[in-house]
Amino acid sequence: NHHALLADVQQGWSFESNIPVGYGVGSSGAYCAAVYDRYAEIEETDLKYIREDLAEMESFFHGASSGIDPLISYYNQSPHIRATHSRIVIV
């Protein structure tokens, strides 16, 4: 919901993080997860699609992203990724 995001930013919305140093997940991933959680109008609940959305968002900061860091922040859990099956499972 771009309109709600823009309105909140214009009203002073900010992002604060308490990610500990060495946690392994960057602030860009946490930021993307927070924005996605608040403003995304999700129709697809498959983790593959959510990861792709988050990867596209995080690529703004890094040029390319796997989407894993923001996925971890979004679910506050580590995903289990099976290399042989293009499948992501939250454990």
Side-chain angles (χ1 to χ4, degrees):
N1 185 336
H2 293 105
H3 298 292
L5 173 60
L6 181 59
D8 285 349
V9 168
Q10 289 173 340
Q11 292 178 12
W13 184 82
S14 64
F15 176 75
E16 292 182 25
S17 173
N18 63 356
I19 298 171
V21 174
Y23 184 65
V25 177
S27 58
S28 62
Y31 179 80
C32 292
V35 170
Y36 193 78
D37 184 53
R38 184 166 177 149
Y39 301 103
E41 295 174 348
I42 305 168
E43 293 182 19
E44 181 59 63
T45 59
D46 186 303
L47 293 179
K48 178 183 176 202
Y49 296 103
I50 293 171
R51 183 195 56 80
E52 289 171 356
D53 285 347
L54 291 167
E56 187 173 336
M57 291 173 67
E58 192 178 35
S59 69
F60 173 80
F61 297 102
H62 303 295
S65 170
S66 67
I68 299 301
D69 282 356
L71 189 69
I72 290 168
S73 291
Y74 183 67
Y75 283 102
N76 198 29
Q77 297 183 56
S78 299
H80 176 95
I81 301 172
R82 297 181 182 174
T84 58
H85 295 86
S86 297
R87 187 174 158 195
I88 300 173
V89 178
I90 297 294
V91 292

